[in-house]
Amino acid sequence: MSAIEAPIEALLAYAEAKRVVVHEAVSVKHSPEEGFGLFTDKPLEKGELVIRLPLSSTLSLAKDLPPSLAPLLSSLEPRLALAVLLCLTRGIEDWIANWPVQPQGSWGLCHTPGWENLVSWNRELAHRHAESTASVHEAFHTTIRPFLTATDDLGDINYQRYLWAVSMVDSRAARVHLYGEERLVLMPLVDLLNHRSEPSCSLAFEPMLGDSGELVVRLKHTVDADEQLTISYGDKANDELIAQYGFALLHAPHECAVVLLPLVGDSSLVMQKASLLPPGTTFVNDAGEIRACVSFGWCLTSSAETDSLALNAPQLTPEVWLVLRIAGATDMMEVFEALSCAGDKDCSTRSGWQSLLQACEEQLASISKASETNGSPGTSSGETPMHASTISATAAHARTELLNATIRAANTALHAEHCR
């Protein structure tokens, strides 16, 4: 038995002992690109049950908690509490034997070549990583360690072990609605399902009379033999996928760009604009300039030919339209006019489109500079756990697509105004 097969055999035996039922035509296989996954041995039909798990086989905060830990776990946010439970739960060694030994997501990438390039242009990822690291550090040192030390339950849990556990919760737990309440749940075998934006399977809780219910994975459509079974990890942009899971999508339908718009006018007008911008949309850059911060993603449409999501144009929300008009206003009268027609695209200004165009071009230049030393974008599905430099190249490719589409939209609008 190979080094890869042994932990899988132990996992399957563990799952069987926990009354987890897997379709007879589904197997666990390993690939160099995505690690472990679930694959079909023959064609399966839409609606067929792939996995059925009793709640007792899972790890979550929905079950009865140890009385000694209840005060601690109830004081933490769910992901941090579930990580404590993961550290302290015994008898799950055969389940977690195939899990990575190093932290996943941005914690597993931040010390590898290519990380600095990745976060140099992706401030959303840098902020997400810093914020998550700070919250885990504070929770462990100010709440978890003192509590467990006082109750003599600390055992061999140190900060690095806890950080690993949080990363496992972030990358392997799923959010499931249990009896009307959303819960984070770790599930054996289900945690082997890889992500696709348009997955083949869905996960749901099915209540049962006289029982606590079951978690089930069912096919959303017919699949062929030797096809990998997948679920969706959620409508996440690449910065969130990288931070939690350590991969980026080349075709990223939920990519979101955050750009900094220059504010037109002298310093007095800029200060007045900044005071009137929506909360959370002002930003001071490294040069000390006040900018307007806006975010936008794709306007998603279904392609009839491929039955997949088509990425054609950016989706600009009413708030973005408002900020665009304020940013581009040349005097306070135009600012007040912008405020009076919030959400109306027809009264966008030429200078507002020019601000958006400049902001997108600045981010493209930043990406281009970082990409000079990066690897190549990911191949195959574009959803592969990769080296940091390759993740950076893949994320840069996806962001560039969105920025270029936005530049085209801005140029079209500017051309239309010029022709009026």
Side-chain angles (χ1 to χ4, degrees), residues 163-386:
L163 182 68
W164 171 87
V166 175
S167 85
M168 292 301 107
V169 170
D170 283 349
S171 61
R172 307 184 81 86
R175 295 187 180 276
V176 183
H177 286 276
L178 300 176
Y179 300 112
E181 186 174 358
E182 187 177 74
R183 297 282 191 171
L184 269 176
V185 186
L186 284 163
M187 295 163 278
L189 293 179
V190 174
D191 59 12
L192 297 181
L193 290 165
N194 287 310
H195 170 74
R196 294 293 183 272
S197 299
E198 298 170 75
S200 57
C201 298
S202 62
L203 169 67
F205 173 66
E206 294 186 355
M208 299 176 65
L209 290 175
D211 201 332
S212 59
E214 298 175 323
L215 291 160
V216 297
V217 176
R218 294 186 184 277
L219 284 171
K220 298 178 67 176
H221 57 73
T222 300
V223 296
D224 296 326
D226 299 319
E227 184 171 333
Q228 182 174 186
L229 299 175
T230 57
I231 58 173
S232 170
Y233 295 171
D235 297 343
K236 302 178 188 294
N238 271 337
D239 67 284
E240 190 171 358
L241 291 173
I242 295 168
Q244 280 193 245
Y245 309 102
F247 67 80
L249 304 182
L250 199 60
H251 178 79
H254 302 290
E255 178 66 351
C256 181
V258 178
V259 299
L260 303 177
L261 306 173
L263 299 177
V264 173
D266 58 23
S267 58
S268 175
L269 180 58
V270 167
M271 291 297 294
Q272 292 180 79
K273 285 182 177 182
S275 68
L276 294 171
L277 285 167
T281 60
T282 55
F283 183 89
V284 180
N285 65 14
D286 295 337
E289 301 168 328
I290 300 176
R291 295 289 185 99
C293 179
V294 296
S295 62
F296 52 86
W298 289 105
C299 180
L300 298 176
T301 57
S302 296
S303 170
E305 292 79 13
T306 62
D307 193 30
S308 62
L309 295 174
L311 311 182
N312 297 316
Q315 175 72 55
L316 303 181
T317 65
E319 182 177 271
V320 172
W321 289 114
L322 172 61
V323 174
L324 272 178
R325 289 191 296 275
I326 293 176
T330 57
D331 54 40
M332 284 306 296
M333 181 175 293
E334 288 188 4
V335 171
F336 290 127
E337 287 177 355
L339 292 170
S340 69
C341 59
D344 182 1
K345 291 189 290 185
D346 293 334
C347 64
S348 58
T349 64
R350 179 177 182 83
S351 52
W353 280 113
Q354 289 173 330
S355 291
L356 180 60
L357 189 64
Q358 180 181 335
C360 290
E361 289 175 340
E362 286 177 357
Q363 188 166 115
L364 279 177
S366 178
I367 292 172
S368 178
K369 182 179 178 180
S371 297
E372 292 174 1
T373 54
N374 279 343
S376 302
T379 56
S380 68
S381 68
E383 301 175 353
T384 302
M386 318 159 192

Side-chain angles (χ1 to χ4, degrees), residues 107-129:
W107 289 316
L109 296 167
C110 62
H111 301 298
T112 63
W115 172 254
E116 292 300 325
N117 284 336
L118 178 56
V119 296
S120 66
W121 63 267
N122 195 329
R123 60 174 56 89
E124 308 95 286
L125 173 59
H127 175 75
R128 190 180 294 276
H129 173 76

